[in-house]
Amino acid sequence: DAGVIQSPRHEVTEMGQEVTLRCKPISGHDYLFWYRQTMMRGLELLIYFNNNVPIDDSGMPEDRFSAKMPNASFSTLKIQPSEPRDSAVYFCASSFQVWTDTQYFGPGTRLTVL
Amino acid sequence: AQSVAQPEDQVNVAEGNPLTVKCTYSVSGNPYLFWYVQYPNRGLQFLLKYITGDNLVKGSYGFEAEFNKSQTSFHLKKPSALVSDSALYFCAVRDSGSNYQLIWGAGTKLIIKP
């Protein structure tokens, strides 16, 4: 298996633009997680899905952020409009079961909003 | 409420010496405990976990961790450090009796000097 795949690996955009991050989880994994990592706040869980259904989005910072999982092999995290404070590394992770199971992380997308 | 603490921002160890990266936690019920490692510009990788059973858990790359319930700790250890062990290490915890998400520590930067 290729592991969790994320695209793009790097994204540079200007304030106000829409940004879409993409994730393909490991086949057969029922859970998908979106994280954000910054120096100031560390690793934060934004939202997670179970069988394509969002379970907990309490970590989503504000309405500018939205996430979807239209099928078991694809998820998106969208920021509209983007702001400089959104600059961070965004990780997608997947796992077979819930919290006792290992989460497998993608390589991340480094987002820079100018 | 559940929480996890990694009291050291950075740990410096000479190559060949034993290393310890500390983690303490607070949960209401029984803990599920995890260690992950992050190499530069990479996603997090699973090292080991404690769910139940033997207090000494062995994981990848020669690492091990000991669950100590009385001290509410789960320190990561390795008998002989390698320069290639230099990375960022994260401890995470979840209360087995709750529906809460994994709580992540702030991370400890491990530097192994030749």
Side-chain angles (χ1 to χ4, degrees):
Chain A
D1 199 315
V4 176
I5 299 172
Q6 290 186 248
S7 65
R9 292 294 309 276
H10 302 274
E11 177 80 36
V12 180
T13 190
E14 293 187 347
M15 182 175 62
Q17 296 298 306
E18 178 179 295
V19 175
T20 299
L21 311 182
R22 296 173 176 79
C23 174
K24 176 179 169 55
I26 292 174
S27 177
H29 282 189
D30 294 331
Y31 289 82
L32 184 140
F33 309 84
W34 280 102
Y35 289 92
R36 178 172 69 176
Q37 185 179 36
T38 61
M39 290 293 293
M40 291 298 295
R41 301 175 67 90
L43 193 65
E44 304 172 277
L45 177 66
L46 300 178
I47 185 172
Y48 79 93
F49 295 82
N50 177 25
N51 292 324
N52 315 336
V53 176
I55 303 300
D56 184 355
D57 65 355
S58 60
M60 296 286 261
E62 48 197 277
D63 292 345
R64 298 184 297 106
F65 285 69
S66 63
K68 294 182 179 180
M69 192 165 185
N71 57 62
S73 60
F74 183 66
S75 177
T76 60
L77 178 67
K78 185 175 294 185
I79 308 172
Q80 166 63 18
S82 58
E83 297 182 2
R85 59 192 168 122
D86 302 330
S87 297
V89 180
Y90 291 81
F91 290 105
C92 176
S94 69
S95 70
F96 179 58
Q97 294 181 341
V98 73
W99 305 110
T100 61
D101 207 33
T102 299
Q103 293 186 22
Y104 293 84
F105 283 74
T109 295
R110 183 174 295 276
L111 174 65
T112 302
V113 183
L114 303 175
Chain B
Q2 52 186 13
S3 65
V4 61
Q6 293 182 243
E8 301 154 319
D9 291 335
Q10 182 170 310
V11 172
N12 298 298
V13 178
E15 186 177 25
N17 283 0
L19 69 86
T20 299
V21 183
K22 295 180 180 178
C23 173
T24 59
Y25 65 90
S26 175
V27 298
S28 301
N30 294 317
Y32 295 151
L33 293 154
F34 300 79
W35 276 104
Y36 283 77
V37 60
Q38 184 179 26
Y39 298 101
N41 301 313
R42 304 283 293 277
L44 280 70
Q45 297 177 33
F46 171 76
L47 276 179
L48 51 81
K49 66 182 176 183
Y50 172 83
I51 303 300
T52 187
D54 194 346
N55 290 345
L56 183 63
V57 180
K58 294 187 182 296
S60 306
Y61 312 121
F63 284 93
E64 60 185 28
E66 185 166 12
F67 169 59
N68 188 318
K69 188 171 184 177
S70 63
Q71 297 186 6
T72 61
S73 67
F74 190 58
H75 301 331
L76 182 69
K77 299 182 178 183
K78 186 173 182 180
S80 179
L82 301 172
V83 173
S84 58
D85 293 330
S86 298
L88 189 59
Y89 290 81
F90 290 93
C91 181
V93 67
R94 177 177 176 261
D95 187 335
S96 63
S98 79
N99 291 321
Y100 296 132
Q101 59 181 271
L102 269 179
I103 300 299
W104 295 84
T108 298
K109 187 175 184 179
L110 177 64
I111 297 176
I112 309 300
K113 298 183 178 179

